[in-house]
């Protein structure tokens, strides 16, 4: 996955942001970005007056030519980016992803304003995306309705008489996107990728992950105190007395802390072998005494199943124990809070503002909430991504972009084939299997061959929260309906407008939505040197994920299978240990270092992807007779290649955002994604005339792929 840290805008319309690892990147930025990205300030009327101009693939305004590229390549390639791109008050950071997201959000907003205007000529999909956006933007109606849209759920929670009723209620809440107790869903069977099965996992936390409840540092203690105060405030806004709200919030914190103690950490959750425990359903149900799991499945609209993947088996006995040990009133308060925080973006402003204050301002350091037109545009993309994406693709992904991407993907896959052949540490036996897997990788570029059918989803122009709940239920039912059905290999896990990319080990496919195939990542106005450095390295990144510490555990058919010799695995782990140590030495903010084990997969993909893109570019340049030493914009082709790569990760970030990222995210901070990969590149020293032993060309470097 290229980037998962920008999961939802803090205080976003979709509710509490950033608490689950998703593959959708959603980021915003509204500021005057000087010569790089020009923006006019806008009102929050829904009709954006902003004019966002993409940052070009080769951005000379970010270069700091006083910096020595051999000493700090990030400073050389991105040294002026932060000064030219001050962080707007409504963002936790600014980088290339945010900049392109602005451009795409602006495009989506234009589509949505037109669709929301109505008219008999609207298609069914245009009616849905237009009415969804219109309802989301109607804050006057939201204020007038008050708590009425959510009161039926709150009343249902209040009416619970005993804990035996909790399972069915949890299923009902989870079906509409409310995070309570644990997670339930669908997946391909890790060991039989032709099967789609049910899975169950830990969940139910209000803070980003388990260690936020357990670390003892001053900042962690402060965040926990702020979280308790936030929970109390939300309950008080919904009608609880201040005294009861405070008491309930403290009890909720105690309950969630016990769930956190039983949860796996984010690093452990990266290992597919640690989250695969296929069990007969009766075996799993035995870990939940007193809970009617069949009632839960019925309420969440799941088919009854005979087996289930219990990702976190140690969690469920602890969950049951804590439910039994916790008084019913606390559990009801816990569920009320979860309903409120999930609904906050479509409740009166006092709820939306309080939710943002904690999850955006305190957790991410973002002073102001993003304009509602941006949040609503993004929300439509989340709920109806392929309906909105179909129009986006027609208008913004045309010309030869797809053909050029197909060529680049082919070039980079060919480069990986050559790279495997020349590896001096891998046995011939494993090389054969690696090449087999490589040749089975499927490529998805731009958009799906068949767009999703939303005809059964009801969307109303005057029911903001209802639209969101029905969209959540629609997607829940669509996902769970796949259990027991044949795998659809044409399905996408991202909407076309998204600024991201991913590799799916069970599908063994690489996926590049149209949203990221835009400047600066792919810039038709730039030469191949820049584009292979930018989007080429991203293609190589996703391809390398198929062979990183997680991907290597899956074969070409998508099955969790050890196709490596024991000796080759040992050599592989020695090489990945080098990356763990390298990145683990980077201090991200204050005294918090990058977690080299958590970020290993992404770091492996960054390093391998950049090398593959470079190999592919040299081959393409040779075929087309490019003179590599010839200068353009003052730099040779190979120098432009590496500058293009580093400028993928030009950033300006708030320390709170960096801290949260380092503690929860498998991606290293941008600065280290640039320099961390550059120091391991065999072609870099020659491109910039760097001497062995300089900071960017260390005597000892790391190399996996």
């Amino acid at each position: 996955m290229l980037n998962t840290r920008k999961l939802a805008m803090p205080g976003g319309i979709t509710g509490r942001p950033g608490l689950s690892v998703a593959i959708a990147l959603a980021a915003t930025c509204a500021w005057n970005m000087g010569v790089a990205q020009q923006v006019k300030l806008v009102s929050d009327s829904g009709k954006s007056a902003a004019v966002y101009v993409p940052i070009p693939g080769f951005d000379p305004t970010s270069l700091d030519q006083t910096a020595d590229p051999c000493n700090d390549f990030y400073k050389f390639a991105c040294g002026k980016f932060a000064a030219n791109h001050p962080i707007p008050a409504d963002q936790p950071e600014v980088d290339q992803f945010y900049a392109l997201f602005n451009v795409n959000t602006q495009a989506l907003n234009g589509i949505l304003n037109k669709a929301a205007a109505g008219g008999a000529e609207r298609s069914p999909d245009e009616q849905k995306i237009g009415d969804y956006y219109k309802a989301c933007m109607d804050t006057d109606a939201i204020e007038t309705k008050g708590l009425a849209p959510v009161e039926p759920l709150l009343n249902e929670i209040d009416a619970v008489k005993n804990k035996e009723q909790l399972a069915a209620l949890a299923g009902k809440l989870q079906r509409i996107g409310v995070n309570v107790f644990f997670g339930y869903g669908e997946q391909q069977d890790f060991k039989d990728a032709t099967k789609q099965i049910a899975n169950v996992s830990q969940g139910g936390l209000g803070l980003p992950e388990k260690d936020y409840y357990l670390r003892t540092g001053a900042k962690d203690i402060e965040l926990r105190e702020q979280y308790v105060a936030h929970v109390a405030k939300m309950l008080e806004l919904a009608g609880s007395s201040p005294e009861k709200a405070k008491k309930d919030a403290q009890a909720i914190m105690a309950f969630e802390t016990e769930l956190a103690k039983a949860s796996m950490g984010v690093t452990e959750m990266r290992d597919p072998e640690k989250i695969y425990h296929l069990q007969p359903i009766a075996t799993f149900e035995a870990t939940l005494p007193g809970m009617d799991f069949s009632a839960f499945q019925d309420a969440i609209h799941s088919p009854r199943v005979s087996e289930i993947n219990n990702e976190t088996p140690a969690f469920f006995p602890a969950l049951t124990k804590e439910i039994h040990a916790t008084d019913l009133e606390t559990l009801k308060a816990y569920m009320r809070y979860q309903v409120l925080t999930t609904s906050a973006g479509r409740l009166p402003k006092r709820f939306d503002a309080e939710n943002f204050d904690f999850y955006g301002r305190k957790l991410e350091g973002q002073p102001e909430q993003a304009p509602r037109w941006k949040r609503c545009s993004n929300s439509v993309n989340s709920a109806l991504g392929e309906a909105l994406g179909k129009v986006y693709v027609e208008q913004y992904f045309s010309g030869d972009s797809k053909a050029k991407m197909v060529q680049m993907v082919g070039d980079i896959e060919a480069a990986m084939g050559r790279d495997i052949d020349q590896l001096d540490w891998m046995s011939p036996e494993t090389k054969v299997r690696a090449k087999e897997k490589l040749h089975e990788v499927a490529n998805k570029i731009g958009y799906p061959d068949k767009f999703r059918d939303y005809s059964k989803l009801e969307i109303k122009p005057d029911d903001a929260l209802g639209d969101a709940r029905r969209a959540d239920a629609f997607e829940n039912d669509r996902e769970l309906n796949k259990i027991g059905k044949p795998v659809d290999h044409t399905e996408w896990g991202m909407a076309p407008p998204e600024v991201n990319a991913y590799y799916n080990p069970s599908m063994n496919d690489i996926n590049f939505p149209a949203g990221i195939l835009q400047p600066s990542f792919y810039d038709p106005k730039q030469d191949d040197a820049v584009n292979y450095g930018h989007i080429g390295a991203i293609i190589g990144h996703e391809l390398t994920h198929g062979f990183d510490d997680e991907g290597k555990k899956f074969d070409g058919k998508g099955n969790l299978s050890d196709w490596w010799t024991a000796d080759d695995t040992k050599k592989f782990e020695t090489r990945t240990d080098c990356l763990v140590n390298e990145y683990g030495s980077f201090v991200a903010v204050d005294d918090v270092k990058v977690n080299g084990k958590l970020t290993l997969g992404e770091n492996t993909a960054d390093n391998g992807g950049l090398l593959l893109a470079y190999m592919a570019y040299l081959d393409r340049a040779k075929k087309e007779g490019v003179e590599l030493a010839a200068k353009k914009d003052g730099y040779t082709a190979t120098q432009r290649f590496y500058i293009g790569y580093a400028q993928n990760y030009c950033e300006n970030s708030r320390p709170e955002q960096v801290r949260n990222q380092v503690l929860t995210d498998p991606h290293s901070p941008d600065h280290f994604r640039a320099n961390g990969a550059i120091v391991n590149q065999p072609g870099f020293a020659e491109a910039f005339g760097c001497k062995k032993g300089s900071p960017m060309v260390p005597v000892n470097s790391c190399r996996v792929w």
Side-chain angles (χ1 to χ4, degrees):
M1 220 170 292
L2 177 66
N3 198 322
T4 60
R5 62 193 168 88
K6 304 176 184 73
L7 305 175
M9 289 170 285
I13 294 298
T14 51
R16 185 177 64 250
L19 301 186
S20 63
V21 176
I23 54 181
L25 180 150
T28 63
C29 165
W31 203 254
N32 187 326
M33 298 197 173
V35 296
Q37 188 178 42
Q38 297 176 5
V39 182
K40 297 177 182 177
L41 297 180
V42 301
S43 67
D44 205 8
S45 65
K47 293 185 178 180
S48 168
V51 178
Y52 294 108
V53 179
I55 296 176
F58 184 85
D59 179 17
T61 69
S62 290
L63 290 168
D64 181 356
Q65 296 179 341
T66 68
D68 184 347
C70 301
N71 287 336
D72 186 339
F73 193 67
Y74 177 86
K75 186 176 181 181
F76 169 76
C78 299
K80 293 185 177 180
F81 183 88
N84 291 336
H85 300 75
I87 308 172
D90 68 343
Q91 293 304 140
E93 68 173 322
V94 179
D95 65 5
Q96 303 281 4
F97 295 91
Y98 280 95
L100 179 52
F101 184 85
N102 276 335
V103 175
N104 285 357
T105 302
Q106 176 178 260
L108 298 180
N109 190 248
I111 294 168
L112 291 168
N113 278 316
K114 182 179 178 181
E121 74 283 358
R122 288 194 304 178
S123 69
D125 278 349
E126 287 172 332
Q127 174 268 314
K128 286 180 170 56
I129 63 175
D131 287 354
Y132 192 104
Y133 180 75
K134 183 176 182 179
C136 182
M137 288 297 300
D138 193 350
T139 53
D140 288 342
I142 290 171
E143 290 292 331
T144 299
K145 290 180 180 180
L147 273 176
V150 81
E151 279 176 347
L153 274 181
L154 297 179
N155 291 339
E156 193 167 349
I157 292 170
D158 289 341
V160 170
K161 301 298 183 185
N162 56 65
K163 294 177 182 179
E164 287 70 29
Q165 296 175 295
L166 292 178
L169 183 53
K172 180 175 182 177
L173 293 175
Q174 286 194 30
R175 182 171 179 257
I176 55 174
V178 179
N179 167 44
V180 288
F181 300 125
F182 60 90
Y184 183 85
E186 172 275 337
Q187 68 169 96
Q188 283 177 263
D189 188 332
F190 279 177
K191 292 194 175 181
D192 183 355
T194 67
K195 291 170 57 180
Q196 296 186 116
I197 60 174
N199 77 326
V200 67
S201 186
Q202 65 191 38
L205 302 182
L207 290 172
E209 54 90 32
K210 68 171 292 181
D211 287 335
Y212 275 74
Y213 294 84
L214 307 177
R215 282 188 296 264
T216 57
K219 180 61 176 176
D220 300 291
I221 293 171
E222 180 186 22
L223 274 173
R224 288 195 288 270
E225 291 172 349
Q226 291 171 333
Y227 175 59
V228 171
H230 158 67
V231 172
K233 184 64 174 177
M234 292 290 279
L235 294 174
E236 186 179 341
L237 288 172
S240 291
S241 69
E243 296 76 20
K244 178 170 173 49
K246 183 177 180 180
K247 180 182 177 182
D248 284 343
Q250 291 169 338
I252 289 168
M253 184 64 175
F255 174 70
E256 290 185 9
T257 299
E258 293 305 312
L259 299 191
K261 290 177 182 178
S263 299
M264 289 172 61
V266 287
T267 302
E268 287 181 285
M269 292 291 288
R270 287 190 62 248
D271 188 342
E273 293 174 332
K274 291 184 177 179
I275 58 171
Y276 181 77
H277 309 278
L278 193 62
Q279 301 174 339
I281 191 64
T283 301
F284 170 68
E285 289 177 330
T287 68
L288 298 171
M291 181 177 288
D292 187 348
F293 194 67
S294 295
F296 170 86
Q297 287 184 299
D298 290 343
I300 202 172
H301 286 205
S302 170
R304 296 292 181 89
V305 298
S306 60
E307 59 184 2
I308 194 168
N309 177 29
N310 182 355
E311 291 188 2
T312 52
F315 176 79
F316 289 94
L319 169 66
T320 305
K321 178 182 176 183
E322 289 310 312
I323 288 176
H324 290 327
T326 302
D327 66 89
L328 184 59
E329 288 306 306
T330 295
L331 296 175
K332 289 160 70 169
Y334 162 79
M335 289 188 289
R336 280 197 298 273
Y337 168 72
Q338 292 290 343
V339 168
L340 292 169
T341 187
T342 306
S343 309
R346 288 180 172 81
L347 292 177
K349 187 175 181 179
R350 59 188 183 275
F351 291 94
D352 192 21
E354 170 58 36
N355 209 51
F356 167 77
D357 181 65
F358 178 72
Y359 287 107
R361 187 171 289 119
K362 292 185 171 67
L363 198 58
E364 294 281 342
Q366 180 177 317
E368 295 179 7
Q369 197 168 22
R372 195 168 183 92
W373 70 265
K374 287 188 177 183
R375 295 190 287 140
C376 287
S377 297
N378 183 55
S379 183
V380 178
N381 190 42
S382 297
L384 293 145
E386 291 194 11
L388 180 56
K390 184 177 182 181
V391 184
Y392 170 83
V393 165
E394 290 170 353
Q395 295 186 20
Y396 296 98
F397 190 63
S398 57
D400 65 350
S401 294
K402 185 163 185 173
K404 186 63 177 177
M405 281 295 297
V406 170
Q407 174 191 291
M408 292 177 74
V409 170
D411 287 350
I412 290 165
E413 288 178 337
M416 174 164 261
R418 297 194 302 274
D419 183 46
I420 291 170
D421 286 337
Q422 66 192 26
L423 290 175
D424 60 5
W425 58 270
M426 182 179 282
S427 69
E429 180 183 350
T430 303
K431 285 184 179 181
V432 168
R433 299 296 300 277
K435 294 282 286 288
E436 289 175 353
K437 178 171 183 177
L438 172 63
H439 293 151
E440 290 185 277
V441 172
N443 305 319
K444 295 179 180 177
I445 298 170
Y447 50 89
D449 294 331
K450 182 181 179 181
F451 286 91
R452 197 162 294 165
D453 178 7
Y454 294 95
S455 59
K456 294 183 180 179
L457 172 59
E458 182 184 20
I459 299 296
K460 301 178 181 180
D462 58 355
D463 187 12
L465 184 58
D467 288 344
R469 294 298 186 226
R470 287 186 293 274
D472 283 336
F474 175 85
E475 179 60 16
N476 172 85
D477 295 355
R478 188 189 72 82
E479 290 284 344
L480 297 186
N481 189 53
K482 295 189 291 186
I483 296 172
K485 303 286 179 62
V487 174
D488 180 4
H489 286 275
T490 69
E491 183 179 13
W492 281 61
M494 283 184 178
E498 290 174 10
V499 187
N500 210 338
Y502 70 99
Y503 169 79
N504 184 335
S506 292
M507 289 283 197
N508 192 27
D509 61 11
I510 51 178
N511 304 258
F512 306 97
I516 200 171
L517 305 180
Q518 314 284 340
S520 63
F521 298 105
Y522 173 65
D523 189 345
K525 296 180 181 179
Q526 298 294 330
D527 58 3
D528 281 344
V530 170
N531 282 321
Y532 275 72
H534 267 300
I535 195 66
I538 290 171
I539 295 168
H541 173 106
E542 300 308 336
L543 190 60
T544 303
H545 268 315
F547 303 86
D548 67 13
D549 63 311
E550 292 179 82
K552 74 176 285 289
K553 296 181 178 183
F554 292 82
D555 62 23
K557 302 296 183 185
N559 296 313
L560 187 61
S561 171
D562 189 359
W563 48 272
W564 292 61
T565 68
D567 188 54
D568 285 338
T569 291
K570 239 174 129 179
K571 291 175 180 176
F572 176 88
E573 290 174 348
T574 297
R575 289 170 176 269
T576 55
D577 284 346
C578 181
L579 288 178
V580 169
N581 294 330
E582 176 196 337
Y583 285 81
S585 69
F586 298 147
V587 178
V589 62
D590 299 327
D591 60 347
V592 180
K593 290 185 175 181
V594 175
N595 184 337
K597 290 185 178 179
L598 174 62
T599 58
L600 176 58
E602 300 301 330
N603 298 335
T604 302
D606 282 344
N607 279 266
L610 180 56
L611 178 63
L612 294 179
Y614 188 66
M615 293 173 62
Y617 171 65
L618 293 181
D619 186 60
R620 175 57 52 187
K622 183 177 180 180
K623 289 177 180 176
E624 298 187 359
V626 174
E627 176 53 57
L628 297 178
K631 291 189 175 182
K632 181 178 180 182
D633 299 321
Y635 298 96
T636 67
T638 52
Q639 288 174 337
R640 288 164 60 78
F641 169 87
Y642 286 114
I643 291 170
Y645 169 75
Q647 290 190 339
N648 274 343
Y649 301 109
C650 293
E651 66 161 339
N652 188 8
S653 301
R654 302 186 192 280
E656 296 91 340
Q657 186 279 327
V658 175
R659 185 180 189 277
N660 188 46
Q661 178 191 345
V662 169
L663 295 175
T664 62
D665 197 307
H667 300 82
S668 297
D670 286 346
H671 184 144
F672 304 121
R673 295 188 73 173
N675 278 357
I678 288 291
V679 297
N680 299 316
Q681 297 303 309
F684 177 77
E686 181 180 356
F688 283 90
C690 301
K691 294 180 180 179
K692 193 80 169 176
S694 61
M696 291 290 99
V697 189
V699 174
N700 297 311
S701 59
C702 302
R703 171 82 192 276
V704 183
W705 296 102

